[in-house]
Amino acid sequence: MQRRDFVKVGAMAGASALMPSFLSAAPKGKERIKVGLIGCGGRATGAAKNMMNADQNIEFVAFADLFADKIQPSIDAVAKEAKTKFPQDADKIINPSKVQRFSGFNCVDEILSMKEIDVIIEATPPVFRTPHYKKIVAAGKHCFLEKPACIDITQAREMLKLADEAAAKGLCVVCGTQRRYHAGYQEVIKRVQDGAIGELLSAQCYWNGGYYVGQGQHDAMEKKGLFKGLEPDDMEYQIRNWFSFIWTSGDHIVEQHVHNLDVIMWALGDNRMPLDVRGWGGRSTDLPVPTYGDRFSHFAVDFDMGEGLRISSYCQQDPKCANEVGERIVGSKGIMTTALWGGACKLTDLKGNVIYASPDKVPQCLEMEHKFLLDAIREGRKVNTLKTLVNSTLLAIAGRMSAFSGKKFKFEWMMRKSQENLMPEKIAFVKNPIAGVPVPGKYKLV
C-alpha cells in the first residue's frame, strides 16, 4: 500500500504559501514565541531544554501534567538550565513564579485555553498522543509532537486525518524523529537516494539494549513513595509506569524502535509500505509481571517490501545483553550504515572501502528539530511531518501485532480491516486488570 503527501526534511518548507493562517498560525517574526508543555516527565523536560537551546527567543508560559508532583521538578530543571546557559535571558525564557501550572484529567483543556500560547510540546505517554493532538489542532496551536505518533491502528487512522486537518488550518507540526535533523544522516540518505550504493537489496535496523526501560524508572518512583497504596492493576500505577505496559506505550517496538524503522522508511522514500508482515517475539526478562509491566522484551520482524526487498527489524530490552542501535542498507554497489551514538554515518563499497563518512561533530539533532519548527513558525512556513511519523509507526504496530499473535498477514489487511484498539474505555484512577503477557498462537489478531 502507498500513501500520498510524504515529504522529506529538505523539501518541507515548499508547498505552504497558499495555506490560510489560523489563530496562532500567523508568522511570529522576531516576537518571543510562547510555549506550553504537556507532559512533564523526563522526555518532555528534555524536549523543553532542547527547544530553549535551539532558540532563546521563546518563553515557557505553562506546564501541564496529569500528576501535580511532576510539574515543579520540570520547571526547576528547565529554569536551572536557562540560568546556567543563558543567564542574561533566563528570566525571559522561563520565570518560575509566572509559569501557569495545570494538573489532573482536565489539564490539557486548561492549558490549551490559554490564547497566548503559540506552540505546544506534547510529550506524554504515547497512548495519549492522539487524543491530545486532536485537542491541540482544535485549539489552533503549532506543535512539537514526540514519537511515536500513536499506539494502534485505530489511533493511526485518526492521526492521518488530523495531519490533513492541521495542514488545512496552516498549523505546523514537527515530530520527534530526531535522526531526520542529523546532518550526517541527511547527507548519507541523500546519497543513497541518489544511487550511491546502487539498487537497494535489503535493509536491517536495530535497537537492542542491555536494559529494560521501565526498571530504573519504576524503582526510582517506588523509592520516592509514589506507589504508596497502589497496585499494578491500578490505572494510576500503570500510567506512572507507562514505559512497561502495552496499552500505555504500544510496547518498545512502537515507543522506541520506531526511530530505526523511520530511518529505513526515510531512505526508501517514505511512501513504500510493506506487502506482508511476519513477527516473532516474547518476554525473556525475569522481571516480575505485572510489577514491571506486561510487554515483550524482544521482537524480530520480517517486512516484505516487494520486488525482492525485505526489511529485517530487531529490538531487545534485556538487562546485561549486548547493545546495538543503528541501521544498515545493502545495495548492489555498496552498504549504508548509520548510528546516532558511537558510530559514524557512512557509505562503503562492497569490499568495505569507505565512500563517505560524516564528520565527527555535527549540530545537535535534538535541538535542530526544534529549530526547524521555530524557524518555520517565525517565517510563516507551514511544515507538517506527522504523516511520515505515522507511516513509520504503522510498521512498528504491524510488527507488534504479528509477533503477539504469531500470525503472518497482509499490511493492506491491517490498514483496511483491523480493529485493534488498545485504549481502555475509561481513563480514570480505577482498577484496570492486566491480562498478562501476550502468548503467540493464542493472542487474537483483530
Side-chain angles (χ1 to χ4, degrees), residues 89-132:
D89 296 318
D91 286 342
K92 295 178 182 178
I93 296 170
I94 180 169
N95 185 331
S97 66
K98 294 182 179 180
V99 173
Q100 295 291 305
R101 298 159 171 81
F102 303 102
S103 61
F105 286 103
N106 293 324
C107 69
V108 174
D109 299 301
E110 291 171 335
I111 193 172
L112 290 176
S113 70
M114 295 182 64
K115 293 182 179 180
E116 62 265 39
I117 290 178
D118 301 302
V119 61
I120 290 288
I121 296 174
E122 207 294 329
T124 60
V127 68
F128 301 119
R129 197 87 72 237
T130 300
H132 288 177

Side-chain angles (χ1 to χ4, degrees), residues 52 78-91 94 96:
M52 172 181 64
V78 176
K80 181 179 179 181
E81 178 134 336
K83 288 184 178 180
T84 300
K85 292 188 173 181
F86 314 108
Q88 300 299 322
D89 296 318
D91 286 342
I94 180 169

Side-chain angles (χ1 to χ4, degrees), residues 175-321:
C175 303
T177 43
Q178 70 266 25
R179 287 156 176 81
R180 291 188 182 239
Y181 305 87
H182 185 282
Y185 272 84
Q186 289 173 344
E187 180 62 27
V188 163
I189 288 180
K190 179 182 182 297
R191 291 175 182 236
V192 168
Q193 292 174 340
D194 288 343
I197 61 173
E199 181 185 359
L200 306 187
L201 303 177
S202 68
Q204 301 84 41
C205 57
Y206 318 87
W207 196 311
N208 297 319
Y211 46 79
Y212 180 90
V213 172
Q215 181 181 11
Q217 294 91 330
H218 168 277
D219 293 350
M221 287 187 287
E222 186 175 50
K223 188 175 181 180
K224 291 180 180 178
L226 295 177
F227 299 143
K228 187 175 182 180
L230 296 176
E231 298 294 335
D233 64 349
D234 287 314
M235 190 169 284
E236 180 178 351
Y237 179 99
Q238 294 163 18
I239 295 174
R240 285 187 179 275
N241 283 286
W242 66 265
F243 12 71
S244 295
F245 289 90
I246 295 166
W247 78 266
T248 49
S249 69
D251 214 314
H252 68 101
I253 188 174
V254 174
E255 192 277 323
Q256 191 175 59
H257 187 45
V258 68
H259 277 302
N260 315 107
L261 289 166
D262 184 69
V263 171
I264 301 299
M265 292 295 290
W266 177 18
L268 297 184
D270 279 319
N271 61 350
R272 184 171 180 174
M273 306 305 288
L275 302 179
D276 297 311
V277 181
R278 176 63 169 98
W280 299 261
R283 185 181 176 102
S284 50
T285 179
D286 59 0
L287 292 169
V289 177
T291 303
Y292 291 91
D294 61 342
R295 63 176 179 79
F296 276 11
S297 62
H298 57 276
F299 292 87
V301 187
D302 174 35
F303 297 98
D304 182 353
M305 305 300 289
E307 301 178 354
L309 177 64
R310 303 180 93 95
I311 299 174
S312 299
S313 156
Y314 307 96
C315 56
Q316 180 186 29
Q317 290 188 0
D318 281 309
K320 300 182 180 180
C321 290

Side-chain angles (χ1 to χ4, degrees), residues 39-42 45 63 65-75 221 226 239-240 242-243:
C40 297
T45 304
F63 282 47
D65 196 284
L66 175 60
F67 302 111
D69 57 84
K70 288 182 174 289
I71 298 176
Q72 193 61 49
S74 182
I75 293 173
M221 287 187 287
L226 295 177
I239 295 174
R240 285 187 179 275
W242 66 265
F243 12 71

Side-chain angles (χ1 to χ4, degrees), residues 344-407:
C345 299
K346 64 182 179 180
L347 304 176
T348 65
D349 63 22
L350 296 176
K351 293 183 179 180
N353 299 308
V354 176
I355 301 171
Y356 171 81
S358 65
D360 292 335
K361 293 184 178 181
V362 297
Q364 169 57 265
C365 57
L366 282 166
E367 296 172 4
M368 295 305 292
E369 58 189 357
H370 292 281
K371 185 178 188 303
F372 180 71
L373 171 61
L374 295 175
D375 285 353
I377 294 171
R378 292 195 187 286
E379 297 164 15
R381 293 183 286 109
K382 309 302 181 258
V383 296
N384 186 323
T385 70
L386 180 52
K387 283 190 176 182
T388 58
L389 177 59
V390 175
N391 232 25
S392 302
T393 305
L394 281 166
L395 260 70
I397 290 169
R400 181 196 66 219
M401 289 174 63
S402 180
F404 279 5
S405 65
K407 304 296 184 182

Side-chain angles (χ1 to χ4, degrees), residues 130-152:
T130 300
H132 288 177
Y133 190 58
K134 183 177 182 179
K135 292 182 177 182
I136 291 166
V137 172
K141 308 296 186 185
H142 301 299
C143 186
F144 174 78
L145 197 69
E146 257 303 345
K147 53 76 197 168
C150 46
I151 60 162
D152 57 38

